[in-house]
Amino acid sequence: MNANKPKSLAVYPGTFDPTTNGHISLIERALHLFDEVIVAVASSGAKGPLFDADERLDLMKTSIAEITGGERVKVLKFDGLLATLVDDLKAQAIIRGLRAISDFEYEFQMALMNRRLVKDVETVFLMPALSWVYLSSTIVKDVARHGGDIAGLVPIHVELAIKKKIAGSKKE
């Protein structure tokens, strides 16, 4: 890297409930484009998260520790407007994942709003590896809740945490 060139920084926001191999794939792809990636775990979960924000933060941190280039990734929890976080961090880009054409309309609207709020920040759309295009956190949770096998869809520590959380909720 040129010593005179400032480091490029991207923020990858999400609920990450739970972290999937698709999320990890996007982080690895982003590391090919940016010097540093900050994974921003949203504290509020409008979707009714399985894991609370601190649990999701810990699951992501452990997942990052296991990937090549993970030392260039930081994980933090945030609340509020993504545009404010990105501006505060002086990031150049927001990373968003696209799995299917159905994701595009919502993501496009969000990108335009973020551009309005932080004019100098670009939204970069990345697709996960082809093997993860169908995968979402919602699907993983649904399969796990119904006793399906989620091995290989999430990092092993996430799989174990999901099984423990679901088993605990069935006892209540």
Side-chain angles (χ1 to χ4, degrees), residues 1-72:
M1 182 171 85
N2 183 339
N4 297 326
K5 180 184 166 211
K7 281 188 171 184
S8 58
L9 172 65
V11 175
Y12 178 31
T15 307
F16 306 110
D17 182 49
T19 300
T20 70
N21 289 340
H23 295 133
I24 301 304
S25 175
L26 282 181
I27 294 165
E28 290 172 331
R29 289 172 181 277
L31 286 171
H32 290 289
L33 301 172
F34 298 94
D35 297 318
E36 188 176 353
V37 174
I38 295 182
V39 179
V41 178
S43 11
S44 60
K47 303 174 189 176
L50 178 63
F51 295 100
D52 68 33
D54 290 328
E55 290 170 321
R56 290 182 277 120
L57 184 76
D58 290 343
L59 290 171
M60 181 59 80
K61 283 181 177 179
T62 303
S63 298
I64 294 308
E66 298 173 358
I67 67 169
T68 303
E71 68 279 354
R72 295 175 22 227

Side-chain angles (χ1 to χ4, degrees), residues 106-153:
Y106 172 77
E107 293 296 345
F108 184 67
Q109 288 175 322
M110 293 303 296
L112 291 175
M113 179 53 75
N114 284 326
R115 181 184 291 169
R116 183 177 188 278
L117 296 171
V118 282
K119 292 171 181 30
D120 296 333
V121 176
E122 295 295 332
T123 298
V124 177
F125 296 107
L126 296 175
M127 294 182 299
L130 189 56
S131 55
W132 307 121
V133 168
Y134 67 93
L135 189 58
S136 73
S137 294
T138 302
I139 289 173
V140 167
K141 288 185 290 192
D142 194 41
V143 169
R145 282 184 179 122
H146 292 92
D149 184 12
I150 58 169
L153 303 177

